[in-house]
Amino acid sequence: PTGNAVSLDLKRGAYVLYDLGEEYIGHVRLTLDAPAGTVVRLAYDERLRADGLLDLFMTNPFCDTADQYTLAGGKQTVETFHPRGGRYVAVHFSPGTGNATVHGCEVRSATCVDGDPTGFSTDNELLNWSWKLGCETALVNIEDSFCDSPWRERGTYLLDGYNHTLVHLTHFHDRRTCSRALRLFAQGNNPDGM
């Protein structure tokens, strides 16, 4: 969960940015209070522009990295249906009448593997930090199979899968994701082997 309640005047629209402090993959949940008919958009990315706004479409303009909701009115929670990924969540309110309050933003994790069960540890803090970061990076790139990233297409690609498998075999004890990725590739062959 992030932050305290933020009150907003909707006359000219409003924008709130949440920094979740690390990469995530999951269902973003936003608890808010706003008039009926208020249009709110949630956007997700891992980078900011120089002006502090999300750097949407920086690497792939064809990715859909936003969701739009029309609110029923009153205090409510909206949650993304599909897992989303990034580090930041931007909340944009279209201009309207009245006020809105954002009570909090959180992510219900969609990772399928427990964190670093290998228990790697050393006296070298830089290596400990690197290992932890590697585990976190690997985790946000795993849904029901290996994905190319937590925020782009989130597709399962053969070369990415090979690299993910090598990292996975080093970091995690559970091998089911490796097996599933290989089965998905095999099932995706055309009759001519392509």
Side-chain angles (χ1 to χ4, degrees):
T2 59
N4 297 322
V6 178
S7 296
L8 307 163
D9 181 352
L10 299 180
K11 189 179 345 177
R12 295 182 356 160
Y15 182 86
V16 179
L17 180 71
Y18 289 98
D19 179 350
L20 299 179
E22 62 186 17
E23 292 284 325
Y24 63 84
I25 182 73
H27 301 270
V28 175
R29 295 170 46 93
L30 183 72
T31 303
L32 44 79
D33 191 343
T38 299
V39 176
V40 63
R41 293 173 192 86
L42 301 174
Y44 327 91
D45 211 309
E46 61 184 7
R47 285 182 290 278
L48 298 178
R49 301 184 322 203
D51 63 2
L53 299 176
L54 281 188
D55 202 1
L56 293 174
F57 315 118
M58 177 61 178
T59 59
N60 191 336
F62 304 107
C63 290
D64 178 14
T65 58
D67 294 300
Q68 177 174 300
Y69 302 90
T70 301
L71 303 178
K75 189 170 182 180
Q76 60 202 288
T77 299
V78 295
E79 180 172 350
T80 59
F81 184 75
H82 295 288
R84 294 302 196 161
R87 174 179 171 159
Y88 302 97
V89 176
V91 182
H92 174 264
F93 290 87
S94 292
T97 58
N99 298 311
T101 302
V102 180
H103 296 282
C105 177
E106 62 184 355
V107 175
R108 187 166 47 89
S109 177
T111 59
C112 297
V113 178
D114 289 331
D116 181 20
T118 60
F120 175 84
S121 181
T122 177
D123 292 336
N124 185 314
E125 288 306 312
L126 179 60
L127 286 178
N128 290 336
W129 173 83
S130 297
W131 185 266
K132 182 179 181 294
L133 189 63
C135 287
E136 290 170 0
T137 300
L139 284 172
V140 298
N141 286 289
I142 302 169
E143 289 184 59
D144 61 340
S145 186
F146 298 124
C147 297
D148 66 330
S149 75
W151 57 271
R152 284 180 41 141
E153 302 98 335
R154 296 196 338 258
T156 299
Y157 298 101
L158 185 58
L159 184 56
D160 290 350
Y162 173 72
N163 292 324
H164 279 294
T165 297
L166 295 177
V167 170
H168 199 83
L169 294 174
T170 303
H171 285 68
F172 307 105
H173 295 300
D174 188 340
R175 307 293 192 245
R176 290 177 292 182
T177 307
C178 303
S179 299
R180 178 166 168 69
L182 289 173
R183 282 194 309 275
L184 286 173
F185 291 126
Q187 292 168 3
N189 286 338
N190 291 330
D192 65 359
M194 182 85 170

